[in-house]
Amino acid sequence: MVSLDGSCLDVADTAANDAAFGRPGASRGESAFPQLRFVALVENGTHVLFGARLGGFEEGETTLAHDALPALRPGMLCLADRQFFGHALWQEAAATGADLLWRVKRNLRLPRETVLGDGSYLTTIYPSAKGRRHRVEGVRVVEYRLEGVADAEPLYRLVTTLLDPSQAPAADLAALYHERWEIEGALAELKTQLRGARVVLRSKTPELVRQEFWGLLLAHFAVRGLMHEAALRAGEDPDRLSFLHAVRVVRRKLPQFAALSPSGQAHPA
């Protein structure tokens, strides 16, 4: 099970970075720092980020998502929030062979063509309102409410490629969708816990900003890989391990490895 989402990172305030990445507007003028935007997939169980794509602030997350989707594979179930749903992006994601469970907006026109036994229904999505004469894609819709939950929205709507309710009951899909929040935790690990107090990427040029970003992703992957190995040895769920604690353990151990020759052999005096 994987989730798709995106975020932004502040970069050093230089003319080159500003020209390459741009910066968001603010209530008074512009933001203090340029920002890069990225989109990534996360493996929900391990929080490993993969398929990441990097761009400027003005590039939308749905635009960057087109380049991230090829990382999907058959056997995966991809979760995504309503901002990503669109006919073209949905088709590209479905073409990878992965199954999809994406949230959509409440006002999206999805007529009930076939109502199924669990209350979900089959419908058809089209490339546009004008293209409704051409049948394009059949999907299953799951609608539900969260009773007794503070600040819950009146209605939640999901569309999925899992058409058989006997294999994927509507209630199970509704519960499963909220696992999408795992990527929020993974992005918080990347942006705050791994970098600590350094809230701005330090590199002064766009080329080095990109290098620093990929280095940050590699460091996150390395820590999460170690956590996964530790969880397997202890027979624990990786979710039960603290990422921040793992980062602190790695930092304490790094001086020991820095004293070793890369070849594993001491250099002659």
Side-chain angles (χ1 to χ4, degrees), residues 105-215:
K105 296 178 180 179
R106 286 183 292 157
N107 61 358
L108 182 66
R109 184 180 177 186
L110 296 172
R112 294 173 179 263
E113 296 176 357
T114 304
V115 179
L116 304 174
D118 62 354
S120 62
Y121 60 92
L122 302 180
T123 191
T124 304
I125 59 173
Y126 299 86
S128 66
K130 295 181 179 179
R132 298 186 67 83
R133 291 179 298 175
H134 306 286
R135 180 178 177 85
V136 178
E137 191 75 39
V139 301
R140 180 172 163 222
V141 183
V142 176
E143 297 180 338
Y144 62 98
R145 292 177 172 83
L146 298 177
E147 303 292 347
V149 177
D151 300 324
E153 297 189 21
L155 181 69
Y156 294 83
R157 304 176 84 195
L158 309 176
V159 293
T160 181
T161 56
L162 299 169
L163 304 183
D164 188 350
S166 65
Q167 295 183 349
D172 290 352
L173 292 178
L176 193 63
Y177 174 74
H178 292 274
E179 291 292 318
R180 190 197 68 80
W181 286 99
E182 292 293 335
I183 196 169
E184 303 289 347
L187 293 177
E189 294 168 359
L190 180 75
K191 295 173 64 175
T192 59
Q193 298 180 29
L194 186 60
R195 292 189 299 160
R198 294 185 295 277
V199 295
V200 180
L201 297 186
R202 63 185 179 179
S203 300
K204 307 297 184 182
T205 67
E207 181 180 359
L208 291 179
V209 165
R210 296 183 181 97
Q211 179 177 296
E212 187 176 353
F213 172 76
W214 295 118

Side-chain angles (χ1 to χ4, degrees), residues 1 24 30 32 38 139 167 171 182 194 196 248 250 254:
M1 185 164 55
E30 294 182 327
F38 68 96
V139 301
Q167 295 183 349
E182 292 293 335
L194 186 60
R248 289 169 176 167
V250 170
L254 281 178

